[in-house]
Amino acid sequence: QVQLVESGGGLVEAGGSMRLSCAASGRTFSRYAMAWFRQAPGNERAFVAAIRWLGSSTYVDSVKGRFTISRDNAKNTLYLQMNNLKPEDTAVYYCAGKLDTTIMLPTIQGSYDTWGQGTQVTVSS
């Protein structure tokens, strides 16, 4: 079983950049599909990006061209590089994982069975 701990959140001005990290414990991280979700106040948790163990990825349209998901399997770490941040990116960001066994890379939170505790990202206008 993998356990996940996010870090790297904070306050940034609009147009700025931030990198989130998600450290995974356990020896099976490299076999996991990983994802980032976010939850803004009053909203449901929403998909941001996901990556397979071999590195292929997918993004929600609103972050394409601005966010990059990546992973370092040797370091058991997932990343989310966020550029050109906007106030609407303000949310608690969660990393999530599941064994990479499906044909399609999941974008639904119910498909993931391992979650971190979340890290707050606040973008000021």
Side-chain angles (χ1 to χ4, degrees):
Q1 184 71 15
V2 170
Q3 293 181 324
L4 306 174
V5 178
E6 301 96 335
S7 62
L11 175 64
V12 65
E13 292 184 351
S17 297
M18 182 178 289
R19 189 177 79 160
L20 304 181
S21 299
C22 174
S25 63
R27 292 177 289 180
T28 58
F29 174 77
S30 63
R31 297 167 53 199
Y32 269 53
M34 300 295 298
W36 290 97
F37 288 78
R38 64 187 180 185
Q39 187 169 17
N43 291 349
E44 295 185 354
R45 194 172 299 184
F47 173 77
V48 176
I51 187 169
R52 306 204 76 130
W53 72 281
L54 284 178
S56 61
S57 59
T58 189
Y59 298 86
V60 66
D61 285 347
S62 61
V63 307
K64 285 180 180 177
R66 300 189 299 123
F67 290 11
T68 302
I69 188 171
S70 63
R71 65 191 298 163
D72 186 334
N73 289 336
K75 295 182 178 180
N76 277 12
T77 304
L78 174 74
Y79 302 100
L80 185 68
Q81 177 66 43
M82 304 183 292
N83 299 327
N84 190 22
L85 282 160
K86 304 176 180 180
E88 53 263 41
D89 295 318
T90 295
V92 177
Y93 283 70
Y94 299 88
C95 65
K98 69 175 294 292
L99 282 173
D100 193 353
T101 59
T102 56
I103 295 175
M104 299 297 295
L105 188 54
T107 61
I108 300 173
Q109 64 172 322
S111 297
Y112 293 86
D113 54 22
T114 304
W115 291 83
Q117 83 289 349
T119 185
Q120 176 70 47
V121 173
T122 303
V123 184
S124 63
S125 57

